[in-house]
Amino acid sequence: MTLDIGTAAKPRTMRLRADATRNRERMVDAARETIVEFGPDFPLDEVARRAGVGNATLYRHFTDRTELIRQVALSVMARTAQRAEDALVEEPDAFSALQRFVFEAADERVGALCPMLSSAFDRAEPVVEQGRRRMENAITAIMDRAQCSGQLRGDIAVGDLMVALTQLTRPLPGTGCVGFDRFVRRHLQLFLDGLRAPARSTLEGTAATLEDLQGCQ
Amino acid sequence: MTLDIGTAAKPRTMRLRADATRNRERMVDAARETIVEFGPDFPLDEVARRAGVGNATLYRHFTDRTELIRQVALSVMARTAQRAEDALVEEPDAFSALQRFVFEAADERVGALCPMLSSAFDRAEPVVEQGRRRMENAITAIMDRAQCSGQLRGDIAVGDLMVALTQLTRPLPGTGCVGFDRFVRRHLQLFLDGLRAPARSTLEGTAATLEDLQGCQ
DNA sequence: TACGAAACGGAGAGCCCTTCTCCGTTTCGC
DNA sequence: GCGAAACGGAGAAGGGCTCTCCGTTTCGTA
């Protein structure tokens, strides 16, 4: 509904105050990190704490947790799609584009999108659907190019990449493991090596798309 | 694992009743599954529910959550070590042994060991230390053989394998994603393909051992 | 600089979930 | 068939999360 945020009903047409805008951005960022770490049931107070604002400010900007998740999802999808589009255009080598995208997506914390698989989240909403489609198209384009050039194995799809990416970059819950990030990039690289053509094995099951993931709710 | 469970202090020397033994095993199994799904902060009542026993029974067998985690850790480490030892002996091919171990470890839910990284858990305890060492030795043996035979890349260590394994097999929190397991084996296989020699990339950082992981608390 | 409106933050009430215990009932082993 | 061991449901106690109230601070403008 943020097509025009408050929509017709509310006088949100007026510009937010400078500090309000700044805080709003901080809160979405903080929410992204918190979701990645805690999963869909993240505590809202933790988001406020990380954003450096009072919890009341959080509730003032987002009516409820669903609305906050929605904003995070839109933000992450848009930024990730942009990264993918940039990588596709700017990288001369097809597999390099894929690699670049994977590492950048990790930085963007695509894992924050996992609440989208929750039943509480309305994926069918036009704006969300549109964001997902843009992201999926961009990633598919990267993968297609790499597959056509014979550098990426052909038996995988977007869902395989995104789920593994989410899983490998997810922090261990409860443990504030500081040195952990140092290993994540290694594991992503190892996974990427496994994606290269020629395939070194035969995969069981079928390639996963993003729809497949949503379908299993 | 039940070497001397209750230790000397308690009259646990007497044999448990048949149903008690059965329930105890069920509870440890249920705890393993629950920890994998919820992380270190798993609800104890959920364990009881999954084990098909009343919550009181759980508290009767394990004084507190720490004790339960300890038993799970010992159980998982022992079973995983056994799997590794078996694979090493029974598989003629070095990389096949590694592959077999990875899939079996996933089935054993090694992800349940992640509470061991929590500060609340005493890793220094002799029995735990011993279990960890046995497991680490067994896995190292498998990896060493595969590296010596030129099938496994040389720039990785036990920690790399176990963390990635844990991450890739961890269920998405909150979402009871039924069809999810179907993809896990695919991702493990892709990761394994990335582990093969010759290495298709240069990894940054240094190979991770299990100590490295514990060190980062 | 001064003023009004917008935005903020801390504290606290209400609620739910988790932990843990009590005690009557059931099951096991002999 | 009996005694002891084990069980399970219910419920009190505690803690954390959600959300709101209201006094204070900050921003934007004249």
Side-chain angles (χ1 to χ4, degrees):
Chain A
M1 56 210 52
T2 16
L3 286 182
D4 34 304
I5 316 180
T7 66
K10 220 177 143 197
R12 183 60 68 85
T13 46
M14 61 199 319
R15 212 166 47 256
L16 283 175
R17 233 169 63 178
D19 53 344
T21 309
R22 193 184 337 118
N23 281 334
R24 190 183 175 87
E25 229 160 279
R26 276 188 195 165
M27 285 184 282
V28 174
D29 287 350
R32 186 178 59 218
E33 301 293 337
T34 309
I35 292 173
V36 170
E37 183 167 339
F38 289 80
D41 298 328
F42 63 101
L44 291 179
D45 276 19
E46 176 67 16
V47 175
R49 199 187 59 76
R50 293 188 188 202
V53 302
N55 50 10
T57 300
L58 188 64
Y59 291 102
R60 198 172 298 112
H61 282 261
F62 308 96
T63 56
D64 58 0
R65 111 193 268 98
T66 305
E67 175 58 18
L68 179 57
I69 292 177
R70 224 178 59 93
Q71 292 303 329
V72 171
L74 290 175
S75 165
V76 172
M77 287 190 298
R79 294 166 58 157
T80 303
Q82 188 63 53
R83 298 269 203 167
E85 290 159 4
D86 290 350
L88 183 65
V89 172
E90 297 170 10
E91 291 293 325
D93 179 67
F95 202 87
S96 298
L98 178 62
Q99 295 206 75
R100 168 173 154 182
F101 166 71
V102 165
F103 288 122
E104 290 187 350
D107 292 338
E108 289 290 353
R109 302 282 187 265
V110 283
L113 294 178
C114 72
M116 288 182 66
L117 299 178
S118 160
S119 53
F121 188 82
D122 181 17
R123 291 177 291 276
E125 203 203 337
V127 191
V128 174
E129 169 72 11
Q130 178 184 328
R132 185 189 64 72
R133 197 176 300 259
R134 179 187 162 202
M135 183 179 75
E136 185 163 8
N137 287 341
I139 303 172
T140 302
I142 290 183
M143 293 180 72
D144 280 350
R145 182 164 71 124
Q147 282 173 331
C148 288
S149 75
Q151 296 177 87
L152 177 66
R153 58 195 296 168
D155 52 359
I156 57 166
V158 187
D160 293 309
L161 179 66
M162 297 308 281
V163 171
L165 183 49
T166 296
Q167 294 285 74
L168 287 174
T169 55
R170 191 139 54 103
L172 280 79
T175 69
C177 204
V178 277
F180 188 67
D181 281 352
R182 298 196 303 112
F183 301 124
V184 171
R185 295 183 68 87
R186 293 172 60 84
H187 303 149
L188 287 176
Q189 185 63 61
L190 289 169
F191 185 76
L192 278 167
D193 286 353
L195 295 184
R196 279 191 185 272
R200 285 164 157 172
S201 69
T202 304
L203 298 180
E204 51 187 86
T206 53
T209 66
L210 291 190
E211 272 87 4
D212 291 336
L213 298 175
Q214 296 180 171
C216 74
Q217 58 163 331
Chain B
M1 54 220 80
T2 25
L3 286 183
D4 39 311
I5 319 177
T7 68
K10 222 175 142 196
R12 184 59 67 84
T13 45
M14 60 200 319
R15 212 165 49 256
L16 283 175
R17 231 169 64 178
D19 53 344
T21 308
R22 191 183 340 114
N23 282 333
R24 190 183 175 88
E25 228 161 278
R26 275 188 196 165
M27 285 183 282
V28 173
D29 287 350
R32 186 179 60 219
E33 301 295 337
T34 310
I35 292 175
V36 170
E37 183 166 339
F38 289 82
D41 298 328
F42 64 100
L44 292 179
D45 275 20
E46 177 65 18
V47 175
R49 198 188 59 77
R50 293 189 188 201
V53 302
N55 51 11
T57 300
L58 188 63
Y59 292 102
R60 198 173 299 114
H61 281 262
F62 308 96
T63 55
D64 58 1
R65 136 198 266 32
T66 305
E67 175 59 18
L68 179 56
I69 292 176
R70 221 179 61 95
Q71 293 303 329
V72 171
L74 291 175
S75 165
V76 173
M77 287 190 299
R79 293 167 58 157
T80 304
Q82 188 62 52
R83 298 268 204 168
E85 290 159 3
D86 290 350
L88 184 66
V89 172
E90 297 170 10
E91 289 293 325
D93 179 66
F95 202 87
S96 297
L98 178 64
Q99 295 205 76
R100 168 174 154 181
F101 166 71
V102 165
F103 289 122
E104 289 187 350
D107 291 339
E108 289 290 352
R109 303 283 187 263
V110 282
L113 294 178
C114 73
M116 289 183 65
L117 298 176
S118 160
S119 54
F121 188 81
D122 182 16
R123 290 177 291 277
E125 203 204 337
V127 192
V128 174
E129 169 71 12
Q130 177 185 329
R132 185 189 64 73
R133 198 176 299 260
R134 178 186 163 202
M135 183 179 72
E136 185 163 8
N137 287 342
I139 302 171
T140 302
I142 290 183
M143 293 180 70
D144 280 351
R145 182 163 72 124
Q147 282 173 331
C148 288
S149 74
Q151 297 176 87
L152 177 66
R153 57 196 295 167
D155 52 0
I156 57 166
V158 186
D160 292 309
L161 179 67
M162 296 310 279
V163 171
L165 183 50
T166 297
Q167 295 285 75
L168 286 174
T169 56
R170 191 138 57 101
L172 279 80
T175 70
C177 204
V178 277
F180 187 66
D181 281 352
R182 296 197 304 113
F183 301 124
V184 171
R185 295 183 68 89
R186 291 172 62 82
H187 303 150
L188 287 177
Q189 185 63 62
L190 289 169
F191 185 77
L192 278 167
D193 287 353
L195 295 184
R196 280 191 183 272
R200 285 164 156 173
S201 69
T202 303
L203 298 179
E204 50 189 86
T206 54
T209 66
L210 291 191
E211 272 88 3
D212 292 337
L213 299 175
Q214 297 181 172
C216 75
Q217 55 160 335

